[in-house]
Amino acid sequence: MSAEDQAGPVYAVAAQNRAVLGERLSAGLAHAHLLAFHPRDAKPAHLQALLDAGWSATDIVVLSQLVSFLAFQIRVVAGLRLLQAHPAPSASAPQPTAEENAA
């Protein structure tokens, strides 16, 4: 899958925002960004950054599951909207013949 690699957006909490949000939330936001935009780029150092910011192993699992669940829900809604915009032909509609498909 390396041939498919493309550089994606990189997220880091700005220093002034980190002072307001705190280390724990800043690390959580960076982790959520990695899960959403760089899921194949996970490295032990990314998890260590969460641990260093005060996240427990259970906290990391819960955060990761929440982000993954929300990402899944977003994909479901996008798919349903696409299906709504392009509905499948009804079963009662005449189906094209093989000759019509070839033309």
Side-chain angles (χ1 to χ4, degrees), residues 10-41:
V10 176
Y11 178 77
V13 177
Q16 65 271 21
N17 294 335
R18 187 176 291 274
V20 173
L21 297 174
E23 289 300 317
R24 184 173 157 87
L25 182 55
S26 297
L29 289 172
H31 181 68
H33 171 83
L34 281 172
L35 288 175
F37 293 101
H38 305 278
R40 295 188 307 175
D41 297 335

Side-chain angles (χ1 to χ4, degrees), residues 36-73:
F37 293 101
H38 305 278
R40 295 188 307 175
D41 297 335
K43 294 182 174 60
H46 296 133
L47 294 177
Q48 188 60 51
L50 288 169
L51 293 169
D52 293 345
W55 290 80
S56 70
T58 301
D59 294 338
I60 294 169
V61 170
V62 170
L63 175 63
S64 300
Q65 289 175 334
L66 284 171
V67 171
S68 298
F69 177 73
L70 290 173
F72 171 76
Q73 294 297 318

